[in-house]
Amino acid sequence: MRVTQSMLSSNMLRNLSSSYSKMGVLQEQINTGKKISRPSQDPVIAMKGIGYRSDLNRVEQFERNLGEVNNWLDSSDDGLDKVGQALHRVRDLIIDANNDTKTAEDRDKIAKEIDQIKLQIRDLGNTKVGDKFIFSGTKTLSPMYDPNGTAPLYDANGFLDTNYPGVNENVNIEINAGVEITVNTNGIGIFNEIDDMMVQLQSALEDEKNTGVKGNYDALLGLADENIDTVLTARSEIGARQNRVEMMENRLSSQNLIVTKQMSDNEDVEYEEAITNLITQESIHRAGLAIGSRIIQPSLVDFLR
């Protein structure tokens, strides 16, 4: 086959163009730090990158969910802690009221303090996280206690009706694929029992004031101890869930690191390798230019000069 000057020139130009293209790719890798800048350069890397990003987004969403879980659990534990402190004070007042040396004026002061503690406990029952009431079951937009509440949502005492749908149900948040955790505490039963005890105590103090007949403070003391134990049990359950959340946080943190490393290995360029390849390609390109200048034969114009 006869090799013409035009064939040599065409091959040289094609090879030079290919060399420029390779240097451009290597330069872009060094500038961006990525192996590819568009999917067409390497569809396999692009598809793997999409998968890794989906995994990373999912892990980050679960980590955000855990933040919400911690808000609920911490707020529930803090609210019940304050309730427990109030109940201990109520217990002390019951013991104090059971003292036969107390005057009517003393008992009146005890009754007033009991009334304020009752209101405080009711307020704690309406604890919120953001705009959600955490002790109201799935009825998170309704306060657990509302003196002006209307039926059928509220009973005659102003508390959410335990028979109303959602009041006794759990609020669950997903913390991993297919894994949910209950973040709320069923507070209706706890606060109803406490409020009933407080009403009985107020009634006993009022009757003693009006009739002089001493109330059954021993029974009320037993009720106070039962309610304190109930609150402690609820707090222990919250603590167990907090421990589980902490373990899940560690697991998600490890998953985040693993997926990030996989994505980096898949997409990020090795700078040392890329710079070496660019220098090598530049040397090849210069050699191609030098050889091309010898391949192109002098034209008639060159002789006329």
Side-chain angles (χ1 to χ4, degrees):
M1 183 180 70
R2 180 172 176 269
V3 179
T4 65
Q5 178 66 31
S6 63
M7 292 172 63
L8 292 174
S9 299
S10 296
N11 285 335
M12 183 195 71
L13 292 174
R14 184 171 58 254
N15 290 332
L16 288 176
S17 177
S18 176
S19 180
Y20 274 122
S21 178
K22 292 178 180 177
M23 284 195 299
V25 170
L26 291 169
Q27 186 180 31
E28 188 175 27
Q29 288 180 350
I30 294 173
N31 289 337
T32 61
K34 300 294 181 181
K35 294 178 182 178
I36 62 174
S37 57
R38 50 188 179 277
S40 59
Q41 291 178 316
D42 194 325
V44 175
I45 290 179
M47 290 302 297
K48 285 184 177 180
I50 293 173
Y52 291 141
R53 278 180 170 77
S54 297
D55 292 341
L56 188 61
N57 289 337
R58 187 160 50 249
V59 171
E60 290 174 347
Q61 180 60 58
F62 290 141
E63 288 178 332
R64 288 192 291 272
N65 289 354
L66 283 177
E68 182 70 7
V69 170
N70 281 323
N71 284 340
W72 278 72
L73 295 179
D74 291 345
S75 297
S76 298
D77 185 56
D78 181 68
L80 291 177
D81 177 48
K82 298 297 190 298
V83 172
Q85 294 176 21
L87 287 175
H88 279 290
R89 177 55 183 165
V90 170
R91 189 180 188 281
D92 292 340
L93 290 173
I94 293 174
I95 294 173
D96 199 21
N98 198 24
N99 190 334
D100 293 334
T101 63
K102 292 294 178 182
T103 65
E105 184 179 354
D106 292 333
R107 298 186 190 283
D108 186 57
K109 292 178 180 178
I110 292 174
K112 289 179 179 179
E113 185 173 353
I114 290 293
D115 184 61
Q116 292 301 312
I117 293 175
K118 182 181 72 172
L119 295 177
Q120 172 65 13
I121 292 176
R122 287 178 174 180
D123 288 340
L124 290 169
N126 291 340
T127 301
K128 298 174 70 175
V129 169
D131 59 346
K132 298 177 180 178
F133 295 94
I134 62 177
F135 292 120
S136 299
T138 56
K139 302 295 293 183
T140 55
L141 298 181
S142 302
M144 192 190 69
Y145 174 77
D146 183 359
N148 300 316
T150 57
L153 185 58
Y154 292 92
D155 60 22
N157 296 321
F159 284 86
L160 287 171
D161 193 330
T162 56
N163 296 318
Y164 198 84
V167 172
N168 288 308
E169 294 180 8
N170 293 329
V171 177
N172 298 320
I173 294 180
E174 190 175 19
I175 57 176
N176 209 335
V179 179
E180 293 185 344
I181 189 169
T182 299
V183 297
N184 69 316
T185 298
N186 187 3
I188 298 299
I190 296 174
F191 284 92
N192 264 329
E193 290 296 327
I194 293 174
D195 195 74
D196 182 63
M197 179 199 70
M198 300 294 283
V199 171
Q200 291 184 48
L201 178 56
Q202 285 181 307
S203 178
L205 290 169
E206 184 67 22
D207 290 344
E208 185 174 357
K209 175 182 176 182
N210 295 331
T211 64
V213 179
K214 185 177 180 180
N216 190 359
Y217 294 112
D218 290 336
L220 291 169
L221 187 62
L223 287 177
D225 289 336
E226 290 178 7
N227 284 318
I228 290 173
D229 290 340
T230 300
V231 171
L232 288 175
T233 300
R235 291 190 66 193
S236 67
E237 292 175 355
I238 293 173
R241 279 179 276 169
Q242 287 174 321
N243 291 336
R244 184 185 177 192
V245 168
E246 184 177 355
M247 289 187 289
M248 186 58 69
E249 285 178 334
N250 294 334
R251 180 181 175 186
L252 289 176
S253 179
S254 298
Q255 288 181 344
N256 193 320
L257 290 175
I258 291 171
V259 174
T260 301
K261 183 179 183 302
Q262 290 174 333
M263 188 168 65
S264 176
D265 293 341
N266 178 64
E267 298 178 2
D268 293 347
V269 69
E270 294 289 342
Y271 279 101
E272 298 84 355
E273 181 181 355
I275 292 172
T276 301
N277 290 338
L278 179 60
I279 293 173
T280 302
Q281 187 60 43
E282 185 180 4
S283 299
I284 294 172
H285 182 72
R286 290 181 181 277
L289 288 174
I291 294 172
S293 65
R294 295 185 180 185
I295 290 176
I296 299 177
Q297 296 178 356
S299 65
L300 179 60
V301 176
D302 293 317
F303 287 106
L304 292 176
R305 285 188 300 181

